[in-house]
Amino acid sequence: MEQIDIKKHLLTHCKDKLALRRAGVQKNLDSVIISLREETKSSAGDKHETGRAMLQLERENAGKQLAEIEKLEAILERISFAVTPGPVHLGSVVKTSKANYFMSIPVGEVYIENEAYYAIGIGSPIGQVLLGKSEGDEIRFRESIFKIRTVY
């Protein structure tokens, strides 16, 4: 598979994972909103107030999760399909002697033609080490030393 196809596959996978996460959070939020409406109809005193407060907390948490998803979506929108060699940056595919990385958002392991790629955020510990490095550079991360083979 060509480099541009690998990059497209990785980016599409990240977008799909994020869309699934968004759908799950939105479903939860919709459920909480319905429950809040039903709680309003009840008048069971303290029990009513406690249940309503817990639902409000759930709604706030879902809102925070949606805000985080929106940040990740914005990061993905900045990534181009173009193959751009040079120093590692947002959107780079980095092949090393240890593993392959896609500098994007943290969605974990993705397999393309039986080869594993790790979609990671640039703010992650390994992302910070790789950022700005080039082909041929040797990297030290935790107890390992490995070499960057390809960046595109």
Side-chain angles (χ1 to χ4, degrees), residues 16-45:
D16 291 348
K17 281 278 205 178
L18 210 50
L20 283 173
R21 196 181 309 170
R22 176 184 273 284
V25 171
Q26 189 62 54
K27 184 178 177 183
N28 183 39
L29 183 59
D30 293 345
S31 173
V32 168
I33 289 170
I34 290 168
S35 295
L36 272 169
R37 284 188 196 132
E38 290 173 1
E39 272 294 314
T40 303
K41 297 174 187 173
S42 174
S43 58

Short mmCIF file of all heavy atoms in Angstrom, two decimals, residues 16-45:
data_model
loop_
_atom_site.label_atom_id
_atom_site.label_comp_id
_atom_site.label_asym_id
_atom_site.label_seq_id
_atom_site.Cartn_x
_atom_site.Cartn_y
_atom_site.Cartn_z
N ASP A 16 -13.53 7.89 12.21
CA ASP A 16 -14.61 6.93 12.49
C ASP A 16 -14.70 6.62 13.99
O ASP A 16 -15.79 6.57 14.55
CB ASP A 16 -14.40 5.64 11.71
CG ASP A 16 -14.61 5.81 10.21
OD1 ASP A 16 -15.13 6.87 9.78
OD2 ASP A 16 -14.22 4.89 9.45
N LYS A 17 -13.55 6.41 14.63
CA LYS A 17 -13.53 6.14 16.07
C LYS A 17 -14.13 7.31 16.85
O LYS A 17 -14.89 7.12 17.80
CB LYS A 17 -12.10 5.90 16.56
CG LYS A 17 -11.57 4.54 16.28
CD LYS A 17 -12.06 3.57 17.32
CE LYS A 17 -11.09 2.43 17.40
NZ LYS A 17 -11.46 1.47 18.41
N LEU A 18 -13.76 8.52 16.45
CA LEU A 18 -14.26 9.71 17.12
C LEU A 18 -15.77 9.87 16.90
O LEU A 18 -16.49 10.26 17.82
CB LEU A 18 -13.50 10.93 16.61
CG LEU A 18 -13.33 12.09 17.57
CD1 LEU A 18 -12.81 11.67 18.92
CD2 LEU A 18 -12.41 13.14 16.96
N ALA A 19 -16.24 9.56 15.70
CA ALA A 19 -17.68 9.64 15.41
C ALA A 19 -18.45 8.65 16.28
O ALA A 19 -19.53 8.98 16.79
CB ALA A 19 -17.93 9.37 13.93
N LEU A 20 -17.92 7.45 16.47
CA LEU A 20 -18.56 6.46 17.35
C LEU A 20 -18.60 6.96 18.79
O LEU A 20 -19.61 6.81 19.48
CB LEU A 20 -17.81 5.12 17.28
CG LEU A 20 -18.06 4.27 16.07
CD1 LEU A 20 -17.13 3.05 16.07
CD2 LEU A 20 -19.51 3.81 16.03
N ARG A 21 -17.49 7.54 19.24
CA ARG A 21 -17.43 8.08 20.59
C ARG A 21 -18.46 9.20 20.77
O ARG A 21 -19.17 9.26 21.76
CB ARG A 21 -16.02 8.59 20.90
CG ARG A 21 -15.78 8.80 22.37
CD ARG A 21 -14.41 9.31 22.70
NE ARG A 21 -13.32 8.55 22.13
CZ ARG A 21 -12.05 8.94 22.15
NH1 ARG A 21 -11.71 10.09 22.72
NH2 ARG A 21 -11.11 8.19 21.61
N ARG A 22 -18.54 10.07 19.77
CA ARG A 22 -19.51 11.19 19.81
C ARG A 22 -20.94 10.64 19.88
O ARG A 22 -21.75 11.13 20.67
CB ARG A 22 -19.36 12.08 18.59
CG ARG A 22 -20.41 13.19 18.54
CD ARG A 22 -20.30 14.02 17.28
NE ARG A 22 -19.38 15.12 17.39
CZ ARG A 22 -19.65 16.25 18.05
NH1 ARG A 22 -20.79 16.40 18.69
NH2 ARG A 22 -18.76 17.22 18.09
N ALA A 23 -21.24 9.64 19.07
CA ALA A 23 -22.59 9.07 19.05
C ALA A 23 -22.95 8.48 20.42
O ALA A 23 -24.08 8.65 20.90
CB ALA A 23 -22.69 8.01 17.96
N GLY A 24 -22.00 7.80 21.05
CA GLY A 24 -22.25 7.22 22.37
C GLY A 24 -22.51 8.28 23.43
O GLY A 24 -23.43 8.15 24.24
N VAL A 25 -21.70 9.33 23.42
CA VAL A 25 -21.88 10.41 24.39
C VAL A 25 -23.20 11.13 24.13
O VAL A 25 -23.93 11.47 25.07
CB VAL A 25 -20.69 11.40 24.34
CG1 VAL A 25 -20.96 12.63 25.18
CG2 VAL A 25 -19.41 10.71 24.82
N GLN A 26 -23.52 11.38 22.86
CA GLN A 26 -24.77 12.07 22.53
C GLN A 26 -25.98 11.24 22.95
O GLN A 26 -26.95 11.77 23.48
CB GLN A 26 -24.83 12.36 21.02
CG GLN A 26 -25.98 13.26 20.64
CD GLN A 26 -25.90 14.63 21.29
OE1 GLN A 26 -24.90 15.33 21.15
NE2 GLN A 26 -26.95 15.03 21.99
N LYS A 27 -25.90 9.92 22.77
CA LYS A 27 -26.99 9.03 23.19
C LYS A 27 -27.18 9.12 24.70
O LYS A 27 -28.31 9.20 25.19
CB LYS A 27 -26.69 7.59 22.76
CG LYS A 27 -27.78 6.60 23.07
CD LYS A 27 -27.42 5.22 22.57
CE LYS A 27 -28.50 4.23 22.94
NZ LYS A 27 -28.14 2.87 22.54
N ASN A 28 -26.07 9.10 25.43
CA ASN A 28 -26.13 9.22 26.89
C ASN A 28 -26.73 10.57 27.29
O ASN A 28 -27.58 10.65 28.19
CB ASN A 28 -24.73 9.06 27.49
CG ASN A 28 -24.74 9.09 29.00
OD1 ASN A 28 -25.63 8.56 29.64
ND2 ASN A 28 -23.72 9.71 29.57
N LEU A 29 -26.30 11.63 26.64
CA LEU A 29 -26.80 12.97 26.94
C LEU A 29 -28.31 13.05 26.66
O LEU A 29 -29.06 13.60 27.47
CB LEU A 29 -26.05 14.01 26.12
CG LEU A 29 -26.41 15.47 26.37
CD1 LEU A 29 -26.18 15.85 27.82
CD2 LEU A 29 -25.58 16.37 25.47
N ASP A 30 -28.74 12.51 25.56
CA ASP A 30 -30.17 12.51 25.23
C ASP A 30 -30.97 11.77 26.31
O ASP A 30 -32.05 12.22 26.72
CB ASP A 30 -30.42 11.88 23.86
CG ASP A 30 -29.85 12.71 22.71
OD1 ASP A 30 -29.52 13.90 22.93
OD2 ASP A 30 -29.71 12.15 21.60
N SER A 31 -30.44 10.65 26.76
CA SER A 31 -31.10 9.86 27.80
C SER A 31 -31.20 10.66 29.11
O SER A 31 -32.24 10.64 29.78
CB SER A 31 -30.32 8.56 28.03
OG SER A 31 -30.82 7.87 29.12
N VAL A 32 -30.14 11.36 29.45
CA VAL A 32 -30.13 12.17 30.68
C VAL A 32 -31.16 13.30 30.57
O VAL A 32 -31.89 13.58 31.53
CB VAL A 32 -28.72 12.73 30.96
CG1 VAL A 32 -28.76 13.80 32.05
CG2 VAL A 32 -27.78 11.61 31.37
N ILE A 33 -31.25 13.94 29.42
CA ILE A 33 -32.20 15.03 29.23
C ILE A 33 -33.63 14.52 29.38
O ILE A 33 -34.46 15.15 30.05
CB ILE A 33 -31.97 15.71 27.86
CG1 ILE A 33 -30.66 16.50 27.91
CG2 ILE A 33 -33.14 16.62 27.50
CD1 ILE A 33 -30.20 17.04 26.57
N ILE A 34 -33.91 13.36 28.82
CA ILE A 34 -35.25 12.76 28.97
C ILE A 34 -35.52 12.46 30.44
O ILE A 34 -36.60 12.76 30.96
CB ILE A 34 -35.38 11.49 28.10
CG1 ILE A 34 -35.41 11.87 26.63
CG2 ILE A 34 -36.61 10.67 28.49
CD1 ILE A 34 -35.26 10.70 25.67
N SER A 35 -34.53 11.90 31.13
CA SER A 35 -34.69 11.58 32.55
C SER A 35 -34.92 12.85 33.38
O SER A 35 -35.72 12.85 34.32
CB SER A 35 -33.48 10.83 33.08
OG SER A 35 -33.36 9.57 32.46
N LEU A 36 -34.23 13.92 33.03
CA LEU A 36 -34.42 15.18 33.75
C LEU A 36 -35.85 15.69 33.56
O LEU A 36 -36.46 16.19 34.52
CB LEU A 36 -33.43 16.24 33.25
CG LEU A 36 -32.09 16.27 33.95
CD1 LEU A 36 -31.11 17.16 33.20
CD2 LEU A 36 -32.22 16.71 35.38
N ARG A 37 -36.37 15.59 32.36
CA ARG A 37 -37.76 16.01 32.12
C ARG A 37 -38.73 15.19 32.95
O ARG A 37 -39.69 15.72 33.50
CB ARG A 37 -38.10 15.87 30.64
CG ARG A 37 -37.49 16.94 29.79
CD ARG A 37 -38.00 16.88 28.36
NE ARG A 37 -37.14 17.66 27.50
CZ ARG A 37 -36.64 17.25 26.35
NH1 ARG A 37 -36.93 16.05 25.89
NH2 ARG A 37 -35.87 18.03 25.64
N GLU A 38 -38.47 13.88 33.04
CA GLU A 38 -39.35 13.01 33.82
C GLU A 38 -39.21 13.28 35.31
O GLU A 38 -40.18 13.20 36.05
CB GLU A 38 -39.05 11.55 33.49
CG GLU A 38 -39.50 11.18 32.09
CD GLU A 38 -39.09 9.80 31.65
OE1 GLU A 38 -38.44 9.07 32.45
OE2 GLU A 38 -39.38 9.44 30.50
N GLU A 39 -38.01 13.61 35.76
CA GLU A 39 -37.79 13.96 37.17
C GLU A 39 -38.57 15.21 37.55
O GLU A 39 -39.04 15.34 38.67
CB GLU A 39 -36.30 14.21 37.45
CG GLU A 39 -35.49 13.00 37.82
CD GLU A 39 -35.87 12.38 39.14
OE1 GLU A 39 -36.04 13.07 40.15
OE2 GLU A 39 -35.99 11.15 39.17
N THR A 40 -38.69 16.13 36.63
CA THR A 40 -39.40 17.38 36.89
C THR A 40 -40.86 17.10 37.21
O THR A 40 -41.46 17.80 38.03
CB THR A 40 -39.30 18.31 35.66
OG1 THR A 40 -37.93 18.52 35.36
CG2 THR A 40 -39.97 19.64 35.91
N LYS A 41 -41.41 16.07 36.61
CA LYS A 41 -42.82 15.73 36.83
C LYS A 41 -43.04 15.10 38.20
O LYS A 41 -44.15 15.08 38.71
CB LYS A 41 -43.30 14.78 35.74
CG LYS A 41 -43.27 15.40 34.36
CD LYS A 41 -43.63 14.38 33.30
CE LYS A 41 -43.42 14.96 31.90
NZ LYS A 41 -43.61 13.95 30.86
N SER A 42 -41.98 14.57 38.80
CA SER A 42 -42.10 13.91 40.10
C SER A 42 -42.03 14.95 41.22
O SER A 42 -41.46 16.01 41.07
CB SER A 42 -40.95 12.90 40.26
OG SER A 42 -40.95 12.37 41.55
N SER A 43 -42.60 14.60 42.36
CA SER A 43 -42.52 15.53 43.50
C SER A 43 -42.31 14.73 44.78
O SER A 43 -43.08 14.84 45.72
CB SER A 43 -43.78 16.38 43.58
OG SER A 43 -44.90 15.54 43.70
N ALA A 44 -41.27 13.93 44.80
CA ALA A 44 -41.03 13.05 45.93
C ALA A 44 -40.08 13.66 46.95
O ALA A 44 -39.42 12.94 47.70
CB ALA A 44 -40.49 11.71 45.44
N GLY A 45 -39.93 14.97 47.01
CA GLY A 45 -39.14 15.63 48.05
C GLY A 45 -37.65 15.44 47.88
O GLY A 45 -37.10 15.66 46.81
#
